[in-house]
Amino acid sequence: MTQHSNSWTLKPGAMTLADLRAVWAAPAKLVLAAEAYPVIEASAAAVQAIVAKGDAAYGINTGFGLLAKTRIPDEKLEQLQRNLILSHSVGTGELLSDAVVRLIMLMKIGSLARGFSGVRPLIIDTLIALYNAGIMPAIPAKGSVGASGDLAPLSHMTLAILGVGEVRVNGELMPAADALAQAGIAPVVLAAKEGLALINGTQVSNALALHGLFMAERLLEAAMVTGALSLDAAKGSDAPFDARVHAVRGQPGQILAAQMYRQLVAHSAIRASHLEGDERVQDPYSLRCQPQVMGACLDLIANAGRTLLIEANAVTDNPLIFQDGPGGRAEIVSGGNFHAEPVAFAADTLALAIAEIGALAERRIALLIDATLSGLPPFLVRDPGVNSGFMIAHVTAAALASENKSLAHPASVDSLPTSANQEDHVSMATFAGRRLDDMAHNTAVIVGIELLAAAQGIDFHRPLKTSPHLEHVHHQLRQQVPFFDADRFFAPDIEAAKQMVLRGELSLTCKNLFAPLYA
């Protein structure tokens, strides 16, 4: 997409991860590139020609799924499409966030606008009008198995342009009909093929997985910062970050992670203080093997990003309309691009990365509170015994790390046949993506607790300072959370640290350091 001062110009098939991150982070006006309209119009005309000719074509003048052999009379085609949306709007559970819904709408607009779906420009323009007006369809999170498309959630999205159901405007729920009327948007009447094109696709699964991807990126950055801070708090060695160690293995994520750790801890006075005379030969793995573990997570996140970006630009409805050039013969081809297996696999690997980021951070918290390993006061507090310090904060981290282990079980290996066994293998990509949010929040708490613990350890080494990068992070934290000098109500401190992680605040002053993550 091309960014202007207050809008984006969408060129179908050409979105980047940077575009998707920007849409996820904040709303902006959307304009469809003018060159998209001729192919959209040609595709819609091809559908009308098929209807006029009278030949049976799946989803255009037939029933759906196992009812594909049922021929629908022309005078009932509009009713067929409306009924499809109403009957398929069977979602349940909490509503998807505005950030996820923005991604869903953007990707659906981009997919339809590539001109293989047979919808009129009116449909796409109406979706854009809703998007630009901040009218977010109320989409329940549960009810899709990630094959034959995200039928139920995309049906709830489609209800909004019909003026049916509810939408969210500025965080408030209201009837879709009222929201459209207030914005001056006319509800649409679906023509042949349009309802099916709108609900057949992987946009919900992919949006949920992209949300998980962007959360994982923030967690990776934050945990590398807190891991470096823990290294200094425990007076660990930076020798394991030596570039030569990683070059001889050759894993690209590991090499890049080691480079980042070297930069994060550079010029630390704490490190300089124990370069000589330190009796320890090697640090525990949670300190020493950070490049190996976090580098592997980095590679998984990058690979998932490549898959999800391809899917974001893809055409994933069914059937598809292919034309032999302008004015050429149109062919309707039934396929299975709605099967979200690539998205499910990507989401499952993101789950592994998110779980491991949290698991390693939890181990470092355990190290820091153990005086025999860290050399710091027991449980990171003065007068231990009277004060419990970080004892139970670590228990919270352990509980969440354990929970993530269960949530990391791959969703993609599960399948339940649907539609009377016509749809006999499904991806479960929607759940695969949806559970990433819970996992990311769990890991954000763990990394937040590590931030508190590592900063506490740094304070015990004063007047020595850690590196300039890490001193800034320490200062940011101390503006919100004071030194833990004695037991106090601890939950607000943890919440403040968690929010710093989720907002990406730990890496704000060293974005250039992390830029290679997004190359």
Side-chain angles (χ1 to χ4, degrees), residues 358-370:
L360 195 66
E362 181 275 325
R363 288 292 79 206
R364 291 191 296 265
I365 299 167
L367 183 156
L368 291 174
I369 65 173
D370 186 341

Side-chain angles (χ1 to χ4, degrees), residues 136-500:
M136 298 289 105
I139 303 177
K142 300 181 182 182
S144 174
V145 295
S148 197
D150 291 311
L151 296 172
L154 286 173
S155 292
H156 284 274
M157 179 201 75
T158 305
L159 285 177
I161 65 172
L162 304 182
V164 178
E166 288 188 313
V167 297
R168 192 164 46 211
V169 180
N170 296 323
E172 298 294 328
L173 282 174
M174 62 187 303
D178 293 348
L180 266 60
Q182 291 176 15
I185 301 170
V188 301
V189 176
L190 298 173
K193 175 73 167 62
E194 290 178 339
L196 187 59
L198 282 160
I199 70 172
N200 224 326
T202 62
Q203 287 78 29
V204 174
S205 295
N206 208 50
L208 289 165
L210 283 167
H211 172 72
L213 173 76
F214 301 147
M215 296 281 275
E217 291 171 345
R218 289 189 176 180
L219 294 170
L220 184 76
E221 288 186 5
M224 292 180 77
V225 171
T226 59
L229 201 63
S230 289
L231 182 82
D232 249 8
K235 287 192 172 181
S237 173
D238 59 355
F241 304 155
D242 188 310
R244 295 168 296 181
V245 172
H246 308 284
V248 297
R249 190 179 199 183
Q251 293 289 352
Q254 178 180 326
I255 291 169
L256 182 56
Q259 173 189 321
M260 293 175 179
Y261 280 112
R262 288 195 301 274
Q263 293 174 281
L264 281 168
V265 300
H267 310 299
S268 166
I270 295 175
R271 173 56 179 145
S273 73
H274 62 98
L275 278 171
E276 296 180 5
D278 195 331
E279 296 179 353
R280 294 172 297 180
V281 178
Q282 293 189 128
D283 293 325
Y285 290 179
S286 60
L287 297 179
R288 190 189 349 151
C289 297
Q290 289 186 77
Q292 287 80 4
V293 177
M294 298 299 279
C297 291
L298 190 161
D299 283 335
L300 281 184
I301 292 169
N303 288 336
R306 282 187 282 272
T307 296
L308 299 178
L309 177 59
I310 291 170
E311 196 74 2
N313 285 300
V315 180
T316 56
D317 60 293
N318 177 63
L320 299 176
I321 300 164
F322 298 95
Q323 300 186 77
D324 296 329
R329 184 178 67 87
E331 184 178 0
I332 308 295
V333 180
S334 287
N337 282 358
F338 50 71
H339 198 296
E341 195 82 346
V343 179
F345 283 162
D348 280 348
T349 59
L350 284 171
L352 297 177
I354 291 170
E356 282 298 272
I357 291 168
L360 195 66
E362 181 275 325
R363 288 292 79 206
R364 291 191 296 265
I365 299 167
L367 183 156
L368 291 174
I369 65 173
D370 186 341
T372 62
L373 292 173
S374 68
L376 295 165
F379 301 108
L380 299 172
V381 69
R382 297 190 181 104
D383 200 8
V386 173
N387 294 302
S388 295
F390 280 69
M391 180 189 296
I392 307 304
H394 168 249
V395 173
T396 296
L400 296 176
S402 181
E403 183 176 309
N404 273 355
K405 293 176 186 178
S406 295
L407 288 171
H409 184 280
S412 57
V413 298
D414 188 24
S415 177
L416 279 174
T418 60
S419 192
N421 284 311
Q422 172 75 2
E423 297 153 8
D424 56 354
H425 181 275
V426 298
S427 72
M428 297 299 177
T430 325
F431 171 65
R434 179 166 55 82
R435 70 31 158 111
L436 297 177
D437 185 70
D438 282 344
M439 295 185 69
H441 279 266
N442 286 346
T443 293
V445 173
I446 298 169
V447 175
I449 292 171
E450 183 186 13
L451 172 62
L452 295 168
Q456 189 81 354
I458 296 298
D459 283 329
F460 282 119
H461 296 314
R462 295 304 192 205
L464 293 175
K465 290 188 176 183
T466 184
S467 72
H469 280 314
L470 299 178
E471 279 294 333
H472 182 81
V473 171
H474 183 278
H475 176 70
Q476 283 181 295
L477 175 67
R478 286 291 174 252
Q479 288 183 315
Q480 300 184 49
V481 179
F483 176 75
F484 197 95
D485 56 348
D487 283 353
R488 63 175 183 249
F489 182 24
F490 209 167
D493 296 356
I494 294 172
E495 180 62 23
K498 173 192 175 184
Q499 292 305 320
M500 289 181 69

